[in-house]
């Protein structure tokens, strides 16, 4: 089944920058997809369109059967429940504990207290951070903070995890650990889309590679390689 479909998608920012030009892509449920390409090529824009952080100027985007490009503002929060987003800079709430950061994502969708506690502990266990539940983000290493961000992204059982340079601020060993965590989540059935400059990971853990260059898809290969020197 097709989870994400983009058809002739274009994005021009208000200042006139053409970030994407004529993107066609199909991603099936359960896939693991890397998005690679030079800086400024359009990777973040491509990813932001998927969770309606940005709207396309032209074209159709269908996720799980819903036309998110045409979605009215009031339906966006509902759509985002099915999508977990992980950022390069983690974006944890600094005054909340690890537990509270993850629980917050469930409170937003009005889950009951009874549901929240066991589910938060379950995902903290999955990312191996149960013992840090009471810590504040700044008491954790970068890799641990990113694992909290991943726990928050998966706590509501999304169909899709979108990760924009999730290892961008991490050393190679910690990056591989974050990659293992994402692979684990993918094995449980969640689709993962990851924009990355991490050549080692892309070349060593072979998955589908979509390369974007100057706003167009330059390559789309199963078990592809990174293909750049940076
Ligand atoms: P990448 O993630 O591959 O580095 P981006 O999607 O961030 O690429 O950017 C693609 C192009 O769009 C670049 O030329 C960038 O400067 C431009 N761009 C990104 N965001 C905006 C914005 N909010 N307003 C104007 N131009 C933008
Ligand atoms: P801010 O601009 O203060 O960072 P945002 O509105 O971007 O706040 O996001 C609030 C929190 O929700 C952040 O911690 C962010 O990581 C998370 N978040 C934003 N958009 C999504 C999404 N589509 N799915 C999951 N989490 C999201």
């Amino acid at each position: 089944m097709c989870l994400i479909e983009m058809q002739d998608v274009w994005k021009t920012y208000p200042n006139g920058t053409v970030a994407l030009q004529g993107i066609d892509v199909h991603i099936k449920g359960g896939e693991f997809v890397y998005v690679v390409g030079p800086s400024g090529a359009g990777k973040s824009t491509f990813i932001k369109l998927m969770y309606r952080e940005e709207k396309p100027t032209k074209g159709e985007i269908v996720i799980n059967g819903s036309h998110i490009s045409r979605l009215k503002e009031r339906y966006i929060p509902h759509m985002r429940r099915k999508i977990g987003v992980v950022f390069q800079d983690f974006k944890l709430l600094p005054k909340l504990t690890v537990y509270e950061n993850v629980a917050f994502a469930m409170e937003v969708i009005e889950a009951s207290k009874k549901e929240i506690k066991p589910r938060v502990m379950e995902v903290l266990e999955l990312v191996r951070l149960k013992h840090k539940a009471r810590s504040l983000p700044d008491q954790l290493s970068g890799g641990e903070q990113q694992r909290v961000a991943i726990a928050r992204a998966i706590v509501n059982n999304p169909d899709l995890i979108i990760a924009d340079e999730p290892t961008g601020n991490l050393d190679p060993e910690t990056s591989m650990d974050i990659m293992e965590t994402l692979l684990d989540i993918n094995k449980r059935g969640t689709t993962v889309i990851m924009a990355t400059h991490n050549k080692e990971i892309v070349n060593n853990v072979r998955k589908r590679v979509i390369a974007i260059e100057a706003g167009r898809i330059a390559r789309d290969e199963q078990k592809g390689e990174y293909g750049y020197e940076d």
Side-chain angles (χ1 to χ4, degrees):
M1 194 203 76
C2 207
L3 181 69
I4 300 173
E5 191 178 346
M6 290 196 188
Q7 220 168 25
D8 194 28
V9 168
W10 292 67
K11 175 67 185 180
T12 304
Y13 283 106
N15 69 358
T17 305
V18 183
L20 294 175
Q21 16 191 347
I23 298 286
D24 289 297
V25 83
H26 294 255
I27 294 170
K28 291 203 278 290
E31 283 198 80
F32 193 113
V33 182
Y34 296 116
V35 179
V36 306
S39 287
K43 302 180 295 296
S44 290
T45 303
F46 177 69
I47 269 181
K48 284 176 180 166
L49 290 173
M50 291 181 195
Y51 60 99
R52 257 296 290 268
E53 178 73 21
E54 292 290 348
K55 261 174 112 162
T57 315
K58 175 175 180 278
E60 263 320 311
I61 303 174
V62 182
I63 299 189
N64 234 350
S66 92
H67 287 258
I68 69 155
S69 33
R70 294 189 219 150
L71 212 59
K72 294 224 162 55
E73 294 295 326
R74 66 175 180 277
Y75 296 119
I76 294 173
H78 188 263
M79 177 219 87
R80 285 193 182 149
R81 290 179 189 189
K82 290 284 150 207
I83 303 178
V85 187
V86 176
F87 304 92
Q88 176 169 4
D89 60 358
F90 323 134
K91 294 199 195 296
L92 299 175
L93 297 166
K95 291 186 178 135
L96 300 187
T97 65
V98 164
Y99 179 91
E100 290 163 347
N101 262 280
V102 179
F104 186 68
M106 291 187 77
E107 286 158 11
V108 167
I109 70 159
E110 292 171 350
S112 68
K113 274 215 158 63
K114 225 177 106 193
E115 291 171 285
I116 292 176
K117 191 158 187 212
R119 177 61 182 157
V120 171
M121 293 319 277
E122 183 182 22
V123 292
L124 286 179
E125 182 150 31
L126 186 71
V127 299
R128 310 184 319 278
L129 282 175
K130 221 173 156 178
H131 60 296
K132 299 280 186 182
R134 291 168 193 275
S135 302
L136 289 168
D138 69 7
Q139 297 169 325
L140 304 179
S141 70
E144 287 170 337
Q145 290 184 53
Q146 192 59 297
R147 299 212 305 273
V148 177
I150 292 172
R152 178 182 61 190
I154 63 175
V155 74
N156 292 325
N157 267 315
D159 303 315
L160 173 64
I161 293 284
I162 294 173
D164 196 354
E165 305 256 12
T167 67
N169 285 337
L170 305 173
D171 62 62
E173 199 180 321
T174 310
S175 296
M176 196 43 91
D177 178 62
I178 291 300
M179 182 62 192
E180 300 282 352
T181 305
L182 291 171
L183 285 170
D184 213 37
I185 290 161
N186 177 245
K187 279 204 196 93
R188 292 160 190 258
T190 308
T191 308
V192 178
I193 300 186
M194 169 173 160
T196 186
H197 280 283
N198 197 312
K199 183 181 175 184
E200 282 64 43
I201 286 179
V202 175
N203 287 343
N204 289 311
V205 185
R206 289 295 177 112
K207 296 287 178 188
R208 179 174 175 187
V209 173
I210 295 177
I212 297 182
E213 294 176 18
R216 297 175 194 274
I217 294 188
R219 277 186 288 139
D220 183 350
E221 299 166 341
Q222 299 298 328
K223 297 185 188 297
E225 56 182 51
Y226 184 70
Y228 304 98
E229 280 316 311
D230 64 286

